[in-house]
Amino acid sequence: MKMKMILSSLIFHCCVIHFVSAQLLQVGFYNSTCPQTETIVRQAVQNQFNSDPSITAALLRMHFHDCFVRGCDASILIKSIGSKKSEREAGPNRTVRGFELIDKIKKTLETTCPSTVSCADIITLATRDSVALAGGPNYPIPTGRRDGLISNAADVNLPGPSLTIPQALQFFTNKGLTLNDMVTLLGAHTVGIAHCNFFQDRLSPVPDKTMDPTLVSKLLKTCVKSTATAFLDQNTSFTVDNEYYRQIMLRKGILTIDQELTLDKSSAPIVTSLAANKGVFSQSFANAMIKMANIDVLVGSAGEIRKNCGVFNQKANRKVVN
């Protein structure tokens, strides 16, 4: 009984700490210290989007990969030091894009408001703006995050594309997210792409019976070269909408995890609801993105405000380890 009480207390305090940290964030956090922040971020993302609409997918992926490792603290941005590998060098992050855009925004903000806006907030704001530009919801996002002091490649453990729903859900519940959050966040695949090697086993030697035969034939032609890629939403590939769910209901999911959403009894009803109503999807997606952006955030005096997003401020603080 005593042990149960101790465990319950630990769980309670853990949850309270997480909740309190998130509560210290606020919409318009920089209104008095750097009022141009959101305008500067939005303009930079707009310029990038105009020439490369795939930046939305890139930023969504960066944001997810950052928040699911040590929380939303921009640790994914840190560059490795010699043989000491940072998160950026971990296998799942080697194809993450968008670093140059974040660096460009940071440089402008440092000129305007030195040592004020965190790299973690820049990722969060830039992702929000890119989603809106791609036709998705434009939601108010709380800011006030600070940047982490640790970036370790060995810490990177992200849900893979071939997991079952229960296996994937464990990653999300560990971060305080629900099944509904997971199904909704996977909707980001509406603008995503995947390299053929991540779904080649669904095409050959024996085609996956849960995939539409016409799609199998199309992808076999696309994936003649193993380095080729395919859109995860074959219809509206650059638009943040609910078409992804419509596609997987037609057995046109590219990755195993995509199709599993419609096959698992727990997630299938959520897919049906999101596929049926774009407004429901938009609101759910905004809520899930805000919730994800609150994962294990650093606030107050924790962490730091980096001057360069790819480098810790002080050498003594650097904790890039093997």
Side-chain angles (χ1 to χ4, degrees):
M1 179 64 71
K2 185 176 181 180
M3 180 56 71
K4 287 184 178 180
M5 290 178 65
I6 292 173
L7 288 174
S8 296
S9 178
L10 287 173
I11 293 171
F12 172 77
H13 286 297
C14 174
C15 293
V16 168
I17 290 170
H18 177 85
F19 177 74
V20 170
S21 294
Q23 285 296 99
L24 289 175
L25 300 178
Q26 59 180 297
V27 174
F29 179 84
Y30 299 107
N31 283 353
S32 60
T33 56
C34 189
Q36 310 98 313
T37 297
E38 297 202 22
T39 300
I40 289 172
V41 174
R42 189 179 302 111
Q43 188 58 61
V45 176
Q46 173 78 70
N47 292 341
Q48 182 71 31
F49 183 86
N50 289 344
S51 60
D52 176 21
S54 73
I55 192 62
T56 302
L59 291 173
L60 279 164
R61 187 160 181 251
M62 175 188 284
H63 194 25
F64 174 79
H65 283 217
D66 182 46
C67 291
F68 265 60
V69 181
R70 306 194 67 84
C72 307
D73 67 348
S75 51
I76 194 173
L77 302 179
I78 293 295
K79 298 175 182 177
S80 295
I81 304 171
S83 62
K84 297 177 180 179
K85 303 302 180 184
S86 65
E87 289 178 31
R88 192 163 169 167
E89 299 300 322
N93 290 337
R94 288 176 184 168
T95 52
V96 170
R97 298 185 298 113
F99 296 105
E100 296 82 3
L101 174 60
I102 301 301
D103 287 342
K104 183 177 181 180
I105 295 171
K106 180 60 173 174
K107 185 176 181 180
T108 302
L109 285 169
E110 281 300 300
T111 300
T112 307
C113 312
S115 302
T116 303
V117 182
S118 71
C119 300
D121 276 340
I122 292 173
I123 294 176
T124 303
L125 290 169
T127 302
R128 185 273 306 272
D129 292 340
S130 72
V131 166
L133 287 167
N138 186 9
Y139 47 92
I141 190 80
T143 45
R145 296 163 193 78
R146 288 172 64 85
D147 301 321
L149 301 175
I150 300 173
S151 185
N152 179 7
D155 289 338
V156 178
N157 181 27
L158 297 164
S162 299
L163 297 181
T164 63
I165 297 304
Q167 289 171 336
L169 182 58
Q170 190 61 56
F171 282 88
F172 286 78
T173 55
N174 287 345
K175 300 299 179 182
L177 301 174
T178 65
L179 174 64
N180 189 76
D181 294 328
M182 182 185 82
V183 177
T184 304
L185 288 170
L186 281 171
H189 284 183
T190 189
V191 290
I193 64 168
H195 288 81
C196 289
N197 60 296
F198 286 115
F199 57 86
Q200 190 73 52
D201 60 336
R202 299 193 70 207
L203 309 178
S204 63
V206 179
D208 188 332
K209 293 181 180 179
T210 66
M211 183 182 283
D212 175 68
T214 303
L215 180 59
V216 172
S217 299
K218 179 181 179 180
L219 292 176
L220 281 170
K221 294 177 182 177
T222 300
C223 296
V224 171
K225 292 184 178 181
S226 60
T227 55
T229 61
F231 288 112
L232 298 179
D233 175 349
Q234 295 278 304
N235 195 8
T236 56
S237 308
F238 292 102
T239 304
V240 175
D241 57 16
N242 62 338
E243 185 61 29
Y244 161 80
Y245 300 103
R246 295 171 180 268
Q247 293 290 303
I248 61 178
M249 289 183 71
L250 296 172
R251 297 168 56 204
K252 293 183 179 180
I254 305 297
L255 301 173
T256 297
I257 187 62
D258 295 331
Q259 201 57 60
E260 282 293 315
L261 288 176
T262 65
L263 300 175
D264 189 282
K265 292 181 180 179
S266 66
S267 54
I270 302 173
V271 171
T272 300
S273 174
L274 294 172
N277 191 313
K278 184 179 179 181
V280 170
F281 162 71
S282 292
Q283 187 59 60
S284 295
F285 191 72
N287 292 341
M289 288 295 291
I290 293 169
K291 193 172 177 180
M292 184 184 78
N294 285 344
I295 295 175
D296 297 331
V297 293
L298 299 175
V299 294
S301 60
E304 65 181 7
I305 303 296
R306 286 184 217 139
K307 296 179 180 179
N308 179 333
C309 288
V311 181
F312 296 122
N313 286 347
Q314 298 176 20
K315 197 168 184 179
N317 285 340
R318 294 183 178 182
K319 294 183 182 178
V320 179
V321 298
N322 291 318

